[in-house]
Amino acid sequence: MEPDLDRMAEIAQGIRRRVLEHTVKNNGGYMSQACSAAELLAACYGGAIRLAEVEAPYEPPPFTQVPAPGLDPISGAVVHGPASPGADRFIISPAHYALVVYAALIETGRLAEHALEQFNADGSTVEMIGAEHSPGFETTTGSLSQALSQAGGIALARKLKGDTGRTWVFLSDGEFQEGQTWEAVQALAHHHVSGVRVIVDVNQAQCDGPMEDVMRIEPVADRLRAFGASVDVVDGHDLTALTQAMDRESDKPHFVLAYTDPARGLPLLEERRPVLHYLRFTSEDERAKYADAYAELAGRSL
Amino acid sequence: MTQQTPVTGDQPAPGELVRRPHLQNFIDWSADKPEVLVLTADLTNSCEVGPWRDTYPERYFSMGMAEQNMMGFAAGLAREGFEPWLHTFAVFLYRRPLDQLLMSVAYPALPVRLIGFLPGVTTPGGVTHQAIDDLAVLRSVPNLTILSTGDATEVESVLDVIHEQPGPVYVRMLRGEMPRLFPQSEPFALSRARELGPDHSAYGSDHVLVLTEGICTEEAMRALPAVRERGVEVRHLHISTLKPFDDPAVLDALAAAGGGVITMENHLRTGGLGSAVAEVMADAGIGNRLVRLGLDDTYAHGASQGHLLAEYGLDAAALVRAVEGLVGQDLAITSEDLTELRVADVHSSAKAEAL
């Protein structure tokens, strides 16, 4: 089935709009991640990943308790529909993208419209840094670079069971600084776990600033190929290129390196460079400027 | 309830040594458990699962020298219904991949089995290979069950106990040549201390209680007959479950031992068996004296097990000294009075390599 690129573009704009609205209202948010990853998550949730359908938007339950042996835990993966051998799975690695993921889930009818009201609220599963009980999250990955290994295990298990569904991982580029990421890639390649497909938000920004200054990771594509993966490099805001790269057949673990702009769709963010990791307003004036930007983006004021 | 070792019956033959009990036992045990997988990190033969790999090649996955990733793969496999058994040296299961163990495995309470070889000073491999702090580190990991084997019977029978746990399990596993101290009819039991020595029911209120884990149990079994011959009433419990540490029989024994309590462990004095005992005594308001034998805020170094046990005060002679300290008398026990030491060759052919 051909991907509906127009629909994906709408989802992407919806992600930016919802995260900006939340950020202005709450004086803080992971805004640059929404700007960089809007098209990526729009593609993932808009049909490029073959997720099972859900009957109705998910009403996130209150947080009850952390996992313990023998308990049946709450899983945020329910928003991806019932697991089955043929359905794709989707695992989010950078858990601080949670706000952006929630926005994508709302835009695609998988999460209740008002769920963001519970974001980072005490007693809520809609956590600021998603854990495996948070909508959209199947694993706990806030300590970065652990998801790819876990997804590797899931995909290896699915291979042993004969599942046809793929296991997708959404990765952030900073995670290539962690040794575990490379351990995972070499293991995926060695054991021919080709069911794993990875989409990377290469926004070249991290907590301390531009990755080029903090710790260079380039040339990522060459390094990945040398480790035994197949790689497509695309403009992460070009939905045509993105969906084609995501759909590419490969007998290797496949990585889509999506180069993105962390200020895309919100030029005002450029004033924040070089540090874009988290947006908290320094003055009411600044907040008002972002409220105006929201009005321009949404066609209505807050 | 503690297990009472029968005075007669199928007692192990004195000095019985068993060679690599885990090797074939694990192969046999796995035969009807297709969900059991083995993951290793370049120590396959060293952890006695080379023949397991050859028997079940489709269930064996070499993960290379990359324990952080191995922990994550195990978590993913466990989420999908498999039961991964990670075989490597204990130090490589909790030092380098501690965050991965905590976040990928223990937080979601997945049934990942961590089979840690070379506990404490059981290796001449020196500081990098000696897991002297595993209990201290891992007792602070929620959801994790922690076990320790003391002989061939426990090495063989701990598999069933591990398999029954719904969450992750770490076990200090002995390898190579080891004694059979406990009858095979008395398998490893979760949270059940093993009562060793003669009947203690007639002991007075000032008797001494000795609690040991792992290879220290054998040392205590060498020392205590001579101590008792001098008229000192000493009860001995072998502890094989470190977490949970909730055997009511242990609490009763701690409360009853008016003459004091001695713990002896193949581990630092900090955070292991002695600390667990101190915690439950304090929680329960038990005011008995407690002597903790263990490595005292020190790393060890590469040398034979016997040498290191003596150097760090973890052998039979050290236990005699500790009892003497508690009862306030010189028991005049010489090395000749101790039950004969079995001498396991450091370079025994029962070991996979010289480490």
Side-chain angles (χ1 to χ4, degrees):
Chain A
M1 198 174 72
E2 285 300 306
D4 185 344
L5 301 185
D6 291 341
R7 172 74 188 119
M8 287 179 186
E10 281 175 28
I11 297 167
Q13 282 310 95
I15 290 171
R16 288 193 179 87
R17 179 178 53 77
R18 284 183 189 277
V19 173
L20 180 54
E21 178 183 11
H22 181 89
T23 299
V24 172
K25 281 183 178 171
N26 295 276
N27 190 27
Y30 291 93
M31 193 66 239
S32 67
Q33 292 81 356
C35 289
S36 66
E39 280 76 20
L40 274 53
L41 290 170
C44 291
Y45 282 114
I49 296 180
R50 296 191 283 267
L51 294 173
E53 296 297 318
V54 294
E55 288 183 5
Y58 179 65
E59 291 287 347
F63 182 79
T64 48
Q65 60 189 119
V66 293
L71 281 187
D72 195 15
I74 295 174
S75 173
V78 296
V79 298
H80 294 161
S84 71
D88 283 3
R89 299 270 280 276
F90 187 31
I91 291 167
I92 306 288
S93 188
H96 61 282
Y97 276 63
L99 177 59
V100 193
V101 171
Y102 303 146
L105 288 166
I106 293 170
E107 283 296 315
T108 50
R110 292 177 179 272
L111 183 61
E113 178 84 18
H114 53 262
L116 283 188
E117 291 167 19
Q118 300 172 46
F119 180 84
N120 200 23
D122 290 346
S124 160
T125 49
V126 189
E127 287 195 15
M128 180 176 78
I129 308 286
E132 57 197 86
H133 47 258
S134 303
F137 289 81
E138 178 161 353
T139 55
T140 296
T141 52
S143 180
L144 294 178
S145 94
Q146 295 196 27
L148 190 56
S149 300
Q150 297 178 56
I154 289 171
L156 176 56
R158 299 187 73 188
K159 183 180 169 185
L160 294 173
K161 292 190 282 192
D163 284 12
T164 54
R166 303 167 298 183
T167 304
W168 289 87
V169 180
F170 176 75
L171 207 66
S172 53
D173 52 355
E175 295 176 85
F176 286 105
Q177 292 170 352
E178 290 277 8
Q180 186 181 358
T181 298
W182 298 101
E183 291 184 4
V185 178
Q186 73 181 8
L188 292 171
H190 179 83
H191 288 293
H192 306 288
V193 189
S194 56
V196 166
R197 299 174 78 86
V198 185
I199 181 160
V200 189
D201 181 9
V202 191
N203 64 14
Q204 301 156 91
Q206 61 186 119
C207 238
D208 275 5
M211 288 179 60
E212 185 66 15
D213 297 340
V214 179
M215 181 57 66
R216 280 189 301 278
I217 60 166
E218 295 291 358
V220 190
D222 291 345
R223 293 170 77 185
L224 281 168
R225 290 190 187 106
F227 267 65
S230 61
V231 182
D232 274 341
V233 177
V234 298
D235 173 348
H237 304 293
D238 178 344
L239 283 163
T240 304
L242 196 58
T243 50
Q244 282 175 358
M246 290 178 73
D247 202 36
R248 171 138 87 92
E249 291 290 324
S250 175
D251 57 0
K252 298 174 178 177
H254 184 57
F255 283 70
V256 177
L257 296 180
Y259 281 73
T260 60
D261 171 9
R264 181 73 169 224
L266 187 61
L268 193 52
L269 262 182
E270 296 289 351
E271 295 175 13
R272 280 277 177 156
R273 287 190 190 271
V275 178
L276 293 164
H277 183 70
Y278 188 84
L279 176 60
R280 190 180 298 287
F281 305 120
T282 53
S283 67
E284 274 308 311
D285 278 354
E286 189 183 27
R287 185 172 177 151
K289 282 203 285 185
Y290 277 87
D292 290 345
Y294 174 82
E296 194 176 327
L297 191 70
R300 62 172 189 270
S301 25
L302 281 172
Chain B
M1 289 292 291
T2 52
Q3 294 180 344
Q4 188 74 44
T5 301
V7 178
T8 57
D10 59 342
Q11 286 292 322
E16 180 186 351
L17 282 178
V18 185
R19 290 162 60 92
R20 300 189 196 173
H22 181 62
L23 192 152
Q24 187 61 43
N25 179 63
F26 188 45
I27 292 174
D28 299 341
W29 180 87
S30 304
D32 62 348
K33 299 175 185 70
E35 73 277 21
V36 167
L37 310 177
V38 165
L39 274 59
T40 62
D42 197 37
L43 289 167
T44 302
N45 275 319
S46 305
C47 296
E48 302 190 350
V49 281
W52 197 102
R53 169 199 59 205
D54 300 338
T55 310
Y56 309 113
E58 73 289 352
R59 290 200 264 150
Y60 165 85
F61 296 94
S62 166
M63 301 309 289
M65 287 186 284
E67 292 82 5
Q68 301 175 33
N69 177 60
M70 178 164 70
M71 207 62 78
F73 259 70
L77 289 160
R79 281 182 186 273
E80 292 301 299
F82 289 97
E83 186 179 329
W85 289 60
L86 274 51
H87 278 63
T88 191
F89 294 166
V91 284
F92 304 133
L93 287 171
Y94 71 92
R95 284 186 185 158
R96 188 185 295 255
L98 181 62
D99 186 31
Q100 287 76 10
L101 169 59
L102 281 158
M103 293 296 105
S104 292
V105 171
Y107 175 73
L110 296 167
V112 172
R113 304 356 186 150
L114 308 168
I115 314 302
F117 292 82
L118 310 186
V121 297
T122 56
T123 167
V127 61
T128 52
H129 288 61
Q130 291 164 333
I132 59 167
D133 54 341
D134 53 339
L135 302 177
V137 171
L138 294 175
R139 282 208 309 127
S140 70
V141 176
N143 291 342
L144 182 67
T145 297
I146 303 174
L147 310 176
S148 175
T149 57
D151 83 329
T153 293
E154 291 198 334
V155 165
E156 290 162 353
S157 57
V158 74
L159 306 183
D160 285 328
V161 175
I162 294 169
H163 185 58
E164 286 163 12
Q165 302 312 308
V169 179
Y170 170 82
V171 59
R172 301 186 113 195
M173 198 68 153
L174 298 176
R175 70 167 193 178
E177 204 167 70
M178 68 191 73
R180 186 179 301 287
L181 303 174
F182 314 129
Q184 284 174 288
S185 60
E186 293 179 17
F188 196 114
L190 185 73
S191 289
R192 299 282 167 84
R194 221 179 257 277
E195 185 88 49
L196 302 171
D199 181 11
H200 62 87
S201 57
Y203 281 180
S205 61
D206 62 346
H207 71 268
V208 172
L209 174 67
V210 172
L211 300 137
T212 58
E213 71 75 44
I215 59 169
C216 288
T217 294
E218 185 186 8
E219 293 298 313
M221 292 171 81
R222 291 178 55 220
L224 294 181
V227 170
R228 295 190 186 104
E229 275 177 22
R230 300 296 189 279
V232 180
E233 292 177 335
V234 185
R235 189 177 168 189
H236 180 199
L237 292 177
H238 166 72
I239 304 294
S240 53
T241 303
L242 278 300
K243 189 167 168 284
F245 195 68
D246 59 359
D247 181 357
V250 170
L251 194 62
D252 290 346
L254 292 169
V261 177
I262 301 169
T263 59
M264 185 159 76
E265 60 193 304
N266 178 23
H267 187 269
L268 290 168
R269 278 161 45 86
T270 311
L273 173 63
S275 292
V277 167
E279 289 163 14
V280 298
M281 287 176 72
D283 285 347
I286 296 170
N288 287 332
R289 286 184 64 191
L290 172 62
V291 177
R292 290 173 294 131
L293 302 182
L295 286 90
D296 191 4
D297 193 29
T298 180
Y299 293 100
H301 58 97
S304 71
Q305 179 176 311
H307 177 93
L308 293 172
L309 286 176
E311 179 176 354
Y312 294 106
L314 295 172
D315 61 356
L319 180 57
V320 169
R321 292 193 297 274
V323 173
E324 287 175 334
L326 271 185
V327 301
Q329 62 176 354
D330 181 350
L331 298 174
I333 292 173
T334 67
S335 57
E336 288 77 40
D337 298 323
L338 300 174
T339 306
E340 190 177 351
L341 176 65
R342 77 182 166 89
V343 181
D345 184 356
V346 167
H347 299 290
S348 158
S349 61
K351 294 188 178 176
E353 31 70 57
L355 268 182

